[in-house]
Amino acid sequence: MADTVNTTLDPQLNRRGFLKGITMAAAALGMSDAVIPKMVEAAASGERPRVIWLHFQECTGCTESLLRSSHPDLARLILDIISLDYHETVMAAAGHQAEHNLHDTVQNHPFILVVEGAIPTKENGIHCMIAGKTAMEILAEVAPKASAIIAIGTCATYGGVQAAAPNPTGAVGVQELVDKPVVNISGCPPNPVSFLGTILHYLTFNRLPELDKLGRPKFAYGRRIHDHCERRAHFDEGRFVEQFGDEFHKLGYCLYKVGCKGPETFSNCPAVRFNDVDVWPVSVGHGCIGCTEPNFWDTMTPFYERLPQVKIPGTGIVADADSIGKKVIGVTAAAVGVHAAVGIGKGLIKGKGGSDEA
Ligand code: SF4
Ligand code: SF4
């Protein structure tokens, strides 16, 4: 296996970086260490799947996040285990050569389709045109021939900011327009490890990972942020930041009252974190804005106002953080101070309208 790894891969991607990336992806997938050799073998087999990466209505932030992360081995690993035949941002080809590459892959080879960006549907899709064709037309040409389809980022999965009310261009996610299963790797941007894990799962097991009811891989979106947040104990005990910069903010209390949407958001951010420096928004003092959820620009705004209600499982109580605080004060203020609490809501907090199975 060592020889295969060392001779197949980009020389800039050393064996240590390669194994680190695979191990990160395996951990994100919830795989045991026993599976890592199989994943390594699949990734280093030299049979790199061809990938067509289409850009539609978006800011290219997902590509930037994926390829220019502070973890260069991760970007190299992704580029090394796939053959990126067409990607408008990073490919060297332009004009007719680029179009030739696209059509050659679509017509003559199996490929994975990755879509970044929403697809506008109003006025026959004229709000996004590339090489004289609308995004709708390009998707209709390419998607039916893809062996797998991955929508990356919240724009491609659910329409993103383009689809925010009043959605002037009629923007939708990929799954609204194709008849095949679509893997939705949502987020603004999504964590590169979730994309890498999906690709490695496909390479290793020859099938896509299990998806939730919104088309997201369960390995990455199967848990509510709130349920594995390091500030959760503060929430349960009624200790909240009242405004950014106050003494409770400095103490690392829960960010629910300043707008954290973690109780209604499903993602692996607290576990996988970002940029190889072991941080995520909540760990550095900013609430989650719910970017992995459909229509979050409409449903999670204003970003700095609290969610109107939370459910406390096992109690039937529906309460906002203020009423939790009042109950808390009545019981335990003398012992632990105005922002401390007995363990009301010790169980898992569930957001409105969600389901446990995500
Ligand atoms: S509300 Fe936000 S900061 Fe507070 S525990 Fe939940 S996810 Fe963490
Ligand atoms: S913490 Fe929330 S807003 Fe930030 S990336 Fe994760 S899901 Fe998106």
Side-chain angles (χ1 to χ4, degrees):
M1 181 172 76
D3 285 343
T4 310
V5 171
N6 289 329
T7 55
T8 306
L9 297 171
D10 179 344
Q12 290 190 75
L13 176 63
N14 62 32
R15 178 176 172 77
R16 190 164 164 271
F18 176 82
L19 291 176
K20 185 176 178 184
I22 298 282
T23 302
M24 284 172 68
L29 282 161
M31 300 288 176
S32 71
D33 288 354
V35 179
I36 290 177
K38 194 173 176 186
M39 297 180 82
V40 167
E41 206 61 45
S45 70
E47 296 171 15
R48 300 188 303 162
R50 291 172 182 265
V51 170
I52 291 176
W53 190 301
L54 299 175
H55 289 268
F56 297 137
Q57 281 182 314
E58 40 83 25
C59 69
T60 315
C62 298
T63 284
E64 291 289 334
S65 171
L66 195 73
L67 300 181
R68 303 184 205 285
S69 72
S70 67
H71 186 347
D73 287 343
L74 198 63
R76 286 201 192 106
L77 175 56
I78 290 168
L79 288 176
D80 224 50
I81 63 175
I82 65 173
S83 170
L84 199 51
D85 284 17
Y86 183 89
H87 187 300
E88 286 151 13
T89 308
V90 301
M91 64 187 174
H96 293 299
Q97 180 63 49
E99 289 302 298
H100 171 78
N101 291 351
L102 174 62
H103 294 300
D104 179 57
T105 300
V106 171
Q107 298 302 331
N108 302 316
H109 303 282
F111 66 92
I112 297 171
L113 171 62
V114 179
V115 179
E116 182 176 348
I119 302 99
T121 59
K122 283 188 180 170
E123 284 84 41
N124 293 319
I126 61 167
H127 301 285
C128 180
M129 298 194 67
I130 299 157
K133 293 179 182 170
T134 66
M136 287 170 66
E137 290 170 331
I138 296 169
L139 189 65
E141 281 177 21
V142 178
K145 302 211 168 170
S147 44
I149 303 175
I150 298 173
I152 189 163
T154 297
C155 300
T157 52
Y158 310 120
V161 67
Q162 293 79 205
N167 193 358
T169 66
V172 298
V174 177
Q175 65 186 0
E176 302 291 328
L177 297 173
V178 303
D179 291 333
K180 305 168 79 167
V182 176
V183 180
N184 284 328
I185 302 181
S186 62
C188 189
N191 196 308
V193 174
S194 299
F195 178 76
L196 177 63
T198 300
I199 293 286
L200 280 172
H201 190 284
Y202 186 71
L203 286 179
T204 306
F205 305 108
N206 204 27
R207 58 183 163 78
L208 292 166
E210 189 180 0
L211 307 179
D212 70 8
K213 64 188 177 187
L214 294 173
R216 304 175 297 195
K218 282 189 174 177
F219 77 83
Y221 302 91
R223 292 184 73 190
R224 205 180 301 261
I225 290 233
H226 191 57
D227 295 344
H228 55 140
C229 172
E230 63 257 41
R231 298 190 188 219
R232 175 57 185 270
H234 292 303
F235 179 93
D236 288 348
E237 299 298 332
R239 296 189 291 260
F240 298 104
V241 175
E242 299 293 334
Q243 64 179 43
F244 288 106
D246 69 10
E247 60 183 300
F248 308 119
H249 195 209
K250 290 171 191 160
L251 287 169
Y253 284 6
C254 171
L255 297 157
Y256 172 73
K257 285 190 174 183
V258 289
C260 182
K261 305 300 188 292
E264 292 189 1
T265 304
F266 288 82
S267 184
N268 57 5
C269 303
V272 176
R273 303 185 173 237
F274 289 86
N275 297 333
D276 203 29
V277 285
D278 198 30
V279 298
W280 67 296
V282 167
S283 76
V284 294
H286 193 285
C288 165
I289 62 170
C291 77
T292 57
E293 297 302 312
N295 307 318
F296 82 98
W297 291 99
D298 292 329
T299 59
M300 299 293 189
T301 48
F303 289 135
Y304 295 103
E305 290 183 12
R306 72 193 67 171
L307 290 166
Q309 59 182 4
V310 293
K311 288 181 189 172
I312 303 172
T315 66
I317 295 172
V318 178
D320 65 21
D322 284 338
S323 56
I324 292 172
K326 283 174 190 156
K327 289 173 186 291
V328 162
I329 289 166
V331 177
T332 63
V336 290
V338 71
H339 287 277
V342 287
I344 185 170
K346 287 284 191 188
L348 303 180
I349 304 299
K350 295 183 179 179
K352 63 183 179 186
S355 89
D356 282 336
E357 58 185 46

